[in-house]
Structures are given as structure tokens and as C-alpha cells.
Amino acid sequence: MLFARAFRVMTDRFHARLAERDLEPLRPAHGYAFRFLAEGPGRTAVELAAHLGVTKQAATKTVAELVDWGYVRRTAHPTDGRAQVLELTGKGRSYLRFADGLWAELEAEFAAVAGAGRHAALREALEAYLEGSEGGIRPVW
């Protein structure tokens, strides 16, 4: 439970820092969508829905918001006339770099509390634990 609580505190702090900026009302689902789309080209709304564990309609709504805000672009799928390929725009990739910077700040704050040695040991242990695990960051609704 300590990991879950720590992740929740860091996530709340992350979103508080987002709220300090003049950004669109991004929610955690948007962040998971950003990460999924950044993992590889050619992703569709159906694949995003499966990744998020939501309906296609819910994923389509999330995509529509991200398109409206300029973070994601839709293009015709090369082989499926019914599907569209989703990709991050330059603004979307910039946002992802910005978000990674915020997460790095939060990790640095944790390191300042834990101490450099304990932080390094925990980081090494977590990387060893996650080595070979499948998938990226997925929501747990």
C-alpha cells in the first residue's frame, strides 16, 4: 500500500502543478492516452480503448478532446477505411516532455526526503522489478 499511496500523492501533486499552468483541463485519462500514443505509430481509437480499459466511445471522446486542443492528429488508416491513425502532434510531444519534467521534479523532491542513497537503491530495485514486464503505464480504474 505504501507504493500506491506514494503514487497517489505524487499524482495529486503533479495535477496541482498542471493546474497552476494555463493548460486545457487535462485529466489522468489524457495522460494515459499520451503515453500510449507515444509508444508507437499507427495506434487507433479501438487500440486506445483496449489499453485504457474503456469503451470505444469513451476513447473516441478522449481523442476528440485531444484533437480539439491540438495535442493529437487523426489521419486515414492505410488499410482500414473505417479506422483512423492517431499520433501526437508537435504540441503533444512538447506536452509529454513538459510532463516528464514535472515527474522528474517530483522524483527529485522524493530523493531530497529519502536521501540520495536510499533513492538510488529504491530506483534500482524498481527498475529490476519492472524489467521484462509488459506494457507501459496503464490505468487502474
Side-chain angles (χ1 to χ4, degrees):
M1 287 304 299
L2 285 175
F3 285 119
R5 288 177 55 204
F7 178 70
R8 181 57 196 225
V9 167
M10 291 180 87
T11 300
D12 288 347
R13 289 179 180 170
F14 175 86
H15 284 281
R17 289 181 188 183
L18 280 181
E20 295 169 0
R21 310 302 200 285
D22 187 25
L23 297 171
E24 295 77 14
L26 295 165
R27 299 182 312 277
H30 295 119
Y32 290 114
F34 274 101
R35 294 285 171 198
F36 181 71
L37 296 176
E39 288 176 2
R43 306 290 176 120
T44 65
V46 171
E47 292 168 328
L48 178 62
H51 176 75
L52 295 177
V54 298
T55 64
K56 181 182 173 227
Q57 290 78 10
T60 299
K61 180 179 184 252
T62 298
V63 168
E65 290 171 330
L66 293 173
V67 168
D68 287 346
W69 294 329
Y71 292 110
V72 171
R73 158 179 39 251
R74 295 182 195 130
T75 58
H77 193 282
T79 59
D80 184 348
R82 299 168 297 155
Q84 293 180 324
V85 174
L86 308 173
E87 64 178 320
L88 294 176
T89 63
K91 182 180 178 182
R93 289 188 298 279
S94 291
Y95 172 79
L96 205 49
R97 287 190 298 276
F98 164 73
D100 287 346
L102 283 183
W103 281 113
E105 287 177 16
L106 292 166
E107 186 175 338
E109 290 171 11
F110 171 82
V113 171
R118 289 193 290 185
H119 171 255
L122 178 58
R123 185 173 179 83
E124 184 179 312
L126 289 170
E127 287 171 349
Y129 180 74
L130 293 172
E131 187 176 313
S133 67
E134 68 176 63
I137 299 173
R138 299 175 67 89
V140 181
W141 308 117

